[in-house]
């Protein structure tokens, strides 16, 4: 299978709080994807800011020849404009007044020959307010080269609409973890029996068993 992964982690999106766990989450997902044969690109702001152009270049390169499966992961700050759309905020969002439009990007991806699309977002979905009402959504990609095709899809959001996602700050940046991404990565690594279908490791992890595990385990961990 021709599977590709783009993992994005944006910790520093001023004037918002610094998210020490965002880069760790992206690194964990990228490492898992590489281990399982995905052609993988990791975009983080450890050295340079992550720009809209960087995301476009990475996706365009990964999808140039089409892909059976796309795993797209983002950890960082996010906004929700209600039922209409979610926005992912990159390093210069405040100056540019733009964010990645999740809905528009998914629409553009319909013309990139993808059979299965997996989107994971460990970001807040808090509603826009007086300070963010003029932030617009960017689709990132140009019109794709293939005929429009509706892929199979899995959407994994760390938060419900209008809610915040959560991170545990560690004693050092390397020990900070986004709660949703941390549990997701542990489950995919086989560390949680309840993430397997029927609690049976030989049955493997399915999207349904993983969803049930995360829905059961994320809220109590966030409460603790």
């Amino acid at each position: 299978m021709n599977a590709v992964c783009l993992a994005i982690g944006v910790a520093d999106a001023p004037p918002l709080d610094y998210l020490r766990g965002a880069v760790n989450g992206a690194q964990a997902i990228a490492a898992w994807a590489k281990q399982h044969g995905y052609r993988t690109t990791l975009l983080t702001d450890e050295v340079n800011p992550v720009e809209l152009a960087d995301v476009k270049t990475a996706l365009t390169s990964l999808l140039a020849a089409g892909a059976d499966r796309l795993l797209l992961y983002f950890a960082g700050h996010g906004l929700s404009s209600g039922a209409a759309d979610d926005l992912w905020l990159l390093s210069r969002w405040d100056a540019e007044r733009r964010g990645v439009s999740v809905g528009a990007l998914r629409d553009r991806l319909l013309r990139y020959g993808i059979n299965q699309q997996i989107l994971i977002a460990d970001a807040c979905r808090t509603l826009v307010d007086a300070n963010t009402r003029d932030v617009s959504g960017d689709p990132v990609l140009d019109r794709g080269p293939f005929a429009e095709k509706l892929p199979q899809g899995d959407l994994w959001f760390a938060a419900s609409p209008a809610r915040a996602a959560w991170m545990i700050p560690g004693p050092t940046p390397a020990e900070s973890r986004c709660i949703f991404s941390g549990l997701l990565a542990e489950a995919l690594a086989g560390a949680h029996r309840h993430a397997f279908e029927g609690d049976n490791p030989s049955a493997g992890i399915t999207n349904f068993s993983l969803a049930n595990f995360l829905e059961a385990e994320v809220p109590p961990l966030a409460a603790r």
Side-chain angles (χ1 to χ4, degrees):
M1 175 177 287
N2 179 17
V4 300
C5 170
L6 174 60
I8 307 166
V10 179
D12 194 17
L16 302 174
D17 292 339
Y18 188 83
L19 299 177
R20 294 189 291 176
V23 170
N24 297 331
Q27 289 173 337
I29 295 300
W32 177 88
K34 286 182 180 178
Q35 182 182 0
H36 288 80
Y38 288 72
R39 287 190 291 111
T40 302
T41 298
L42 174 64
L43 279 180
T44 69
D45 60 348
E46 293 171 282
V47 178
N48 298 310
V50 176
E51 310 275 2
L52 286 163
D54 299 325
V55 179
K56 179 179 181 179
T57 297
L59 276 175
T60 302
S61 177
L62 285 170
L63 298 173
D68 296 315
R69 177 185 294 163
L70 168 66
L71 169 57
L72 176 59
Y73 171 92
F74 174 81
H77 284 286
L79 290 173
S80 175
S81 55
D85 197 12
D86 287 333
L87 302 179
W88 294 341
L89 305 182
L90 304 182
S91 302
R92 288 173 33 82
W93 76 274
D94 188 46
E96 296 178 345
R97 311 309 289 171
R98 289 188 298 164
V100 175
S101 167
V102 178
L105 175 56
R106 290 179 62 206
D107 285 342
R108 293 287 171 91
L109 285 168
L110 296 179
R111 293 183 179 273
Y112 280 81
I114 301 166
N115 294 323
Q116 185 180 24
Q117 182 185 129
I118 305 164
L119 186 149
I120 304 172
D122 200 337
C124 292
R125 304 175 75 188
T126 48
L127 294 174
V128 298
D129 58 19
N131 296 319
T132 56
R133 68 182 186 277
D134 64 333
V135 179
S136 61
D138 192 299
V140 180
L141 291 174
D142 297 329
R143 178 188 173 96
F146 302 106
E148 185 171 308
K149 177 180 182 180
L150 185 64
Q152 296 178 346
D154 284 297
L155 303 177
W156 304 85
F157 293 101
S160 300
R163 300 298 180 91
W166 299 96
M167 184 195 74
I168 302 172
T172 67
E175 296 173 271
S176 299
R177 289 289 180 272
C178 296
I179 291 177
F180 181 83
S181 293
L183 278 174
L184 175 65
E186 290 175 2
L188 291 175
H192 294 281
R193 187 181 185 90
H194 294 326
F196 289 89
E197 190 69 36
D199 291 354
N200 179 8
S202 65
I205 295 174
T206 68
N207 52 354
F208 297 107
S209 67
L210 183 58
N212 290 336
F213 168 78
L214 292 170
E215 287 173 0
E217 297 298 328
V218 169
L221 179 57
R224 291 199 300 273

